[in-house]
Amino acid sequence: MSAAASKWISGPEPWRRGPYAKAISAARGGLTLRDAEGWCLALDIRRWCAQADAADRGVVDRSVGRVLDIGCGAGRLVEELARRGHQVLGIDVCPTAVISTVCRGGRAASRSVFEPLPGEGFWDTALLVDGNIGIGGDPRRLLHRVRDVVRDRGLLIVETSPTDVDERRRVRIHAGQTVASPVFAWATVGTRTLVRYGRMAGWKTVEEWVVPSGERHFVALRALA
């Protein structure tokens, strides 16, 4: 890899191995995303590795039919969906996350959402939770891609930022204060921005909700035929 390429990565490499994979394996926190301007986002690894909580169950309650969990992490949503009888597949670029999901009794594949996917075009529901709308650093591209993955009139549930933001950043994973990855693209969007981008990508908003604590915000969208 050239020196220039090592400074800027747009693909999934920072998530495949290293501190993120170790954190998933150990179910511990301490990781953040940070950019050069001081922006910081904590990665809630402990919650992601725990059982589905009340907010997660709200997502599962709204899921229908065959479900694709994009960026499934340690597999808590896949586990809960499977427990309720859904046909569900988790995808994640991190092999450790895939192993964790399988160990919890779920089905998972080591795959990027931008690669060919099993059942493409026939999923009834797709999930982008835990900030995964930021994957690839371009929410509009991601929403267009997911529209190709679900069936006509399929459902997409997205977790958005609690604040009304629309940001593109070049970030690194940090373990404590230590830089632990190359720079890669990430995005954060609030509900209003997500609704607007969704409309441009062939989605109609059908529901918005906030959990009682106010810390987690969600939008459900329906794919237009």
Side-chain angles (χ1 to χ4, degrees):
M1 181 182 294
S2 70
S6 69
K7 293 179 181 179
W8 171 238
I9 290 179
S10 58
E13 284 77 6
W15 302 103
R16 291 192 190 277
R17 56 189 64 85
Y20 175 71
K22 292 177 182 176
I24 289 290
S25 180
R28 67 170 188 266
L31 299 185
T32 56
L33 298 184
R34 302 187 185 193
D35 70 3
E37 299 173 350
W39 178 86
C40 179
L41 175 68
L43 302 182
D44 198 355
I45 303 290
R46 292 184 186 275
R47 179 174 63 79
W48 299 348
C49 292
Q51 300 296 307
D53 61 17
D56 299 326
R57 291 192 292 273
V59 171
V60 173
D61 290 342
R62 292 166 170 85
S63 298
V64 297
R66 302 172 68 241
V67 184
L68 180 70
D69 185 6
I70 300 166
C72 65
R76 73 187 192 284
L77 288 170
V78 174
E79 178 185 43
E80 181 67 15
L81 285 157
R83 187 185 69 78
R84 298 200 196 182
H86 287 274
Q87 183 178 346
V88 54
L89 176 70
I91 59 169
D92 204 291
V93 298
C94 177
T96 303
V98 171
I99 292 168
S100 172
T101 301
V102 172
C103 288
R104 295 171 78 143
R107 292 175 58 240
S110 183
R111 204 74 59 88
S112 163
V113 67
F114 296 110
E115 298 173 358
L117 298 175
E120 189 160 323
F122 294 96
W123 293 98
D124 299 300
T125 304
L127 306 179
L128 285 167
V129 301
D130 299 330
N132 284 333
I133 187 62
I135 290 171
D138 186 345
R140 287 170 290 190
R141 177 187 178 222
L142 180 56
L143 288 167
H144 277 286
R145 171 59 182 144
V146 179
R147 177 62 191 85
D148 292 335
V149 169
V150 303
R151 63 172 178 82
D152 287 346
R153 306 293 299 166
L155 189 68
L156 169 61
I157 299 177
V158 181
E159 184 169 0
T160 59
S161 173
T163 56
D164 187 24
V165 296
D166 182 9
E167 299 175 338
R168 310 290 182 276
R169 296 186 179 276
R170 297 183 177 188
V171 302
R172 298 178 189 264
I173 297 173
H174 282 65
Q177 298 299 314
T178 302
V179 174
S181 82
V183 175
F184 61 96
W186 196 251
T188 53
V189 296
T191 295
R192 246 190 336 186
T193 299
L194 188 279
V195 168
R196 185 173 76 254
Y197 287 161
R199 188 165 54 245
M200 295 165 59
W203 299 93
K204 177 183 178 181
T205 301
V206 294
E207 187 181 4
E208 302 174 19
W209 72 99
V210 180
V211 299
S213 67
E215 295 177 355
R216 299 181 68 189
H217 294 224
F218 299 90
V219 181
L221 308 104
R222 180 79 60 190
L224 300 175

